[in-house]
Amino acid sequence: MTPQPPEPASGRPAPPARRGFPAGERVRDAERTRADILAVATREFADRGYAGARINEIAAKTSTTKRMIYYYFGGKEQLYVAVLEAAYARIRAREQQVDVEHLDAVAAIRELATLTFDHHESHPDFIRLVIIENIHRAEHLTRSTVLSGLADPALDVLDRILARGRAAGVFRDGVDALDVHQVISAYCVFRTANRHTFEAVFGRDMLDPARRRDQREMLGDLVVSFLSAG
Amino acid sequence: MTPQPPEPASGRPAPPARRGFPAGERVRDAERTRADILAVATREFADRGYAGARINEIAAKTSTTKRMIYYYFGGKEQLYVAVLEAAYARIRAREQQVDVEHLDAVAAIRELATLTFDHHESHPDFIRLVIIENIHRAEHLTRSTVLSGLADPALDVLDRILARGRAAGVFRDGVDALDVHQVISAYCVFRTANRHTFEAVFGRDMLDPARRRDQREMLGDLVVSFLSAG
DNA sequence: TCCGTTATGTACCAGGTGGTGAGTTAGGTC
DNA sequence: GACCTAACTCACCACCTGGTACATAACGGA
């Protein structure tokens, strides 16, 4: 049998092979279609913002059609919310794997900072989505349901580290877990979120691989010196 | 004479008083029209982003018409660039008034951090524009001409403070002015830029006036402890 | 093999979007 | 007062945008 005859001489012309998918697999696959749309939409929204992203463009980059976006998600705004929720859910899942309990307080806080640093650096799309959502004053996130339990895991770990550090007399008082989280987040988010204007104005690419080690160490120093009793 | 007769019986109906401007002044005023458009556009772009802002809407909030936007600026993108340039120019002008040379190094760096803190807090629109421009990967800012000399003033001051601190033996080596600037900016920008998702997730408003003093002090502590030799 | 449900594709639309052609008027100049 | 030009108004447009009506095909159960 000749492989892939361009035009089967008779009967139905050509049923299979949706764009981008290998022929021979199931043509109808709700899960896959949904996931495909969500993945493309995530890229597009992260890339161009909510208003800048185009439903037509998202559909075109999908292996299905615009109609399916409305079939599965209902509309542009709901699609965007679904993208946000999925992104947050993914991030939360990864964050829970952190284990720094066996280290002493100073080493633990340094490790936590480092993990956050790496984490942010490897998820620029997520940071962009967060920034974009802030432009919209978090109106979608606030109305969403994924919020519950989003804060706790990371802060609990931090809280226990701080308590250990204070008990050991190496951390000062007057700083709570959320303060520390704010400092770490600010540093990590800023590197990605403001990368371009920072480079345009100051000529230094904060994400330059050659500078990565220094930047990572700087964050550790920053947090440890801030917390160290003085 | 009855004040404000709805329809003057004869002659030209009612020449004066463009919307929002007091009657009696010059009706045609290029400077004012341009400035008016720019001010409205700044608010709209900062509020909704580049793609989200609408020329029609900007025109409607102006005391002139859409046609004038094209007359003075040429198009949406050029208007946006003009907004960006004006915003950066304004900020640069203010930054040059900083005088911390008469203080000792530690006090000076704390003062500089505090000034930046206040500065960012009182210009949320500027921060939003910067964030928005980062979403667009600084493509407009890069092509613009305002960049020249934007970096120097702030960094020079910082540089001299660091040199004094190192000479006095109170600051450590291995940290340059841009590093410090990055840390300060990250903290200050994050508070405004990520305010909404931070509050949504963690329930704490970083810009709550009741917390302002603590947040300000925290930044000072952060920078000073980071720089202190140890 | 038939049939209902679910998934999918095609064609289309109303309203909004950035942008413009062409004429009009205020205000200064001589 | 005649005249010129910068500043301004009005009406209009082509295209794009999010969204949808409708026909149809694939799958699974009976």
Side-chain angles (χ1 to χ4, degrees):
Chain A
M1 205 179 178
T2 359
Q4 307 286 354
E7 279 287 356
S10 66
R12 297 252 185 67
R18 284 156 81 201
R19 261 179 298 150
F21 288 122
E25 302 202 16
R26 276 169 66 194
V27 173
R28 303 178 66 135
D29 188 333
E31 285 299 307
R32 183 159 62 179
T33 302
R34 232 192 99 99
D36 182 22
I37 293 172
L38 208 57
V40 173
T42 299
R43 279 203 308 276
E44 286 294 301
F45 281 126
D47 209 50
R48 299 162 197 253
Y50 176 74
R54 298 290 127 108
I55 289 286
N56 285 327
E57 190 65 18
I58 292 172
K61 293 184 176 173
T62 293
S63 62
T64 180
T65 64
K66 178 163 63 156
R67 186 65 188 80
M68 288 297 96
I69 293 177
Y70 290 90
Y71 182 72
Y72 283 109
F73 296 95
K76 185 183 186 182
E77 188 164 352
Q78 287 121 297
L79 176 60
Y80 171 73
V81 171
V83 163
L84 252 193
E85 296 188 335
Y88 266 104
R90 236 175 292 138
I91 290 291
R92 173 166 47 162
R94 304 245 173 129
E95 266 182 355
Q96 304 204 332
Q97 302 165 359
V98 177
D99 171 31
V100 291
E101 302 284 351
H102 60 287
L103 299 168
D104 73 278
V106 170
I109 203 79
R110 201 167 209 117
E111 178 73 4
L112 189 69
T114 299
L115 285 170
T116 307
F117 182 97
D118 293 346
H119 188 266
H120 279 67
E121 189 160 290
S122 53
H123 295 84
D125 270 9
F126 176 69
I127 295 187
R128 287 178 68 90
L129 283 175
V130 170
I131 290 289
I132 288 162
E133 181 60 3
N134 271 288
I135 293 284
H136 297 287
R137 301 187 166 76
E139 57 184 58
H140 310 97
L141 186 61
T142 307
R143 285 203 303 265
S144 164
T145 53
V146 284
L147 282 172
S148 47
L150 207 57
D152 298 352
L155 286 187
D156 280 357
V157 175
L158 240 178
D159 224 11
R160 282 198 296 273
I161 297 175
L162 290 186
R164 289 213 314 275
R166 276 192 298 265
V170 293
F171 286 169
R172 69 181 172 104
D173 290 332
V175 181
D176 69 16
L178 202 43
D179 289 334
V180 179
H181 180 77
Q182 182 185 329
V183 168
I184 295 174
S185 278
Y187 184 92
C188 295
V189 169
F190 184 81
R191 287 181 65 237
T192 294
N194 287 65
R195 172 184 196 181
H196 298 99
T197 57
F198 194 89
E199 177 166 16
V201 173
F202 299 110
R204 178 183 290 179
D205 180 6
M206 293 183 283
L207 289 179
D208 181 356
R211 210 181 307 277
R212 204 179 105 89
R213 170 196 279 251
D214 284 350
Q215 290 260 315
R216 240 167 73 134
E217 204 160 319
M218 191 159 120
L219 173 60
D221 293 351
L222 186 71
V223 176
V224 169
S225 65
F226 175 59
L227 281 171
S228 293
Chain B
M1 204 177 176
T2 359
Q4 307 286 353
E7 279 286 358
S10 67
R12 296 256 183 64
R18 284 157 81 202
R19 262 179 298 149
F21 288 123
E25 302 200 18
R26 275 172 64 198
V27 174
R28 308 183 105 186
D29 187 334
E31 285 300 306
R32 183 159 63 180
T33 301
R34 231 192 100 98
D36 182 23
I37 293 172
L38 208 57
V40 173
T42 300
R43 280 202 308 275
E44 286 295 302
F45 281 125
D47 209 51
R48 300 163 196 255
Y50 175 74
R54 297 292 127 108
I55 289 285
N56 284 327
E57 190 65 17
I58 292 172
K61 291 185 177 172
T62 293
S63 63
T64 180
T65 65
K66 177 165 62 157
R67 194 66 188 77
M68 287 298 96
I69 294 177
Y70 289 89
Y71 181 70
Y72 283 109
F73 296 95
K76 186 181 185 182
E77 189 164 352
Q78 287 121 297
L79 176 59
Y80 171 73
V81 171
V83 163
L84 252 194
E85 296 188 336
Y88 267 104
R90 235 174 291 139
I91 290 290
R92 174 168 45 162
R94 305 246 173 130
E95 266 181 356
Q96 304 205 331
Q97 303 166 0
V98 176
D99 172 33
V100 292
E101 301 286 349
H102 62 287
L103 299 168
D104 72 278
V106 170
I109 202 79
R110 202 167 208 118
E111 177 73 4
L112 188 69
T114 299
L115 284 170
T116 308
F117 182 97
D118 293 346
H119 188 266
H120 279 66
E121 189 161 288
S122 53
H123 295 83
D125 269 10
F126 176 70
I127 295 186
R128 288 177 68 91
L129 284 175
V130 170
I131 289 290
I132 288 163
E133 181 59 4
N134 270 288
I135 293 287
H136 297 286
R137 299 184 168 79
E139 57 183 59
H140 311 96
L141 186 61
T142 307
R143 285 202 305 265
S144 164
T145 54
V146 284
L147 281 173
S148 47
L150 208 57
D152 298 353
L155 285 187
D156 280 357
V157 175
L158 239 178
D159 224 12
R160 282 198 296 273
I161 295 174
L162 291 187
R164 290 212 315 272
R166 277 192 297 265
V170 292
F171 286 169
R172 70 183 173 102
D173 290 332
V175 181
D176 69 15
L178 203 42
D179 289 335
V180 180
H181 180 77
Q182 181 184 329
V183 167
I184 294 174
S185 277
Y187 184 91
C188 294
V189 169
F190 184 82
R191 283 199 334 129
T192 294
N194 287 65
R195 173 185 195 181
H196 298 100
T197 56
F198 194 89
E199 177 166 16
V201 173
F202 298 111
R204 177 184 289 179
D205 179 7
M206 292 183 284
L207 289 179
D208 181 355
R211 211 181 306 276
R212 204 179 104 89
R213 170 196 278 250
D214 284 350
Q215 291 260 314
R216 241 167 71 134
E217 203 160 322
M218 191 158 121
L219 174 61
D221 292 352
L222 187 70
V223 176
V224 169
S225 66
F226 175 59
L227 282 171
S228 293

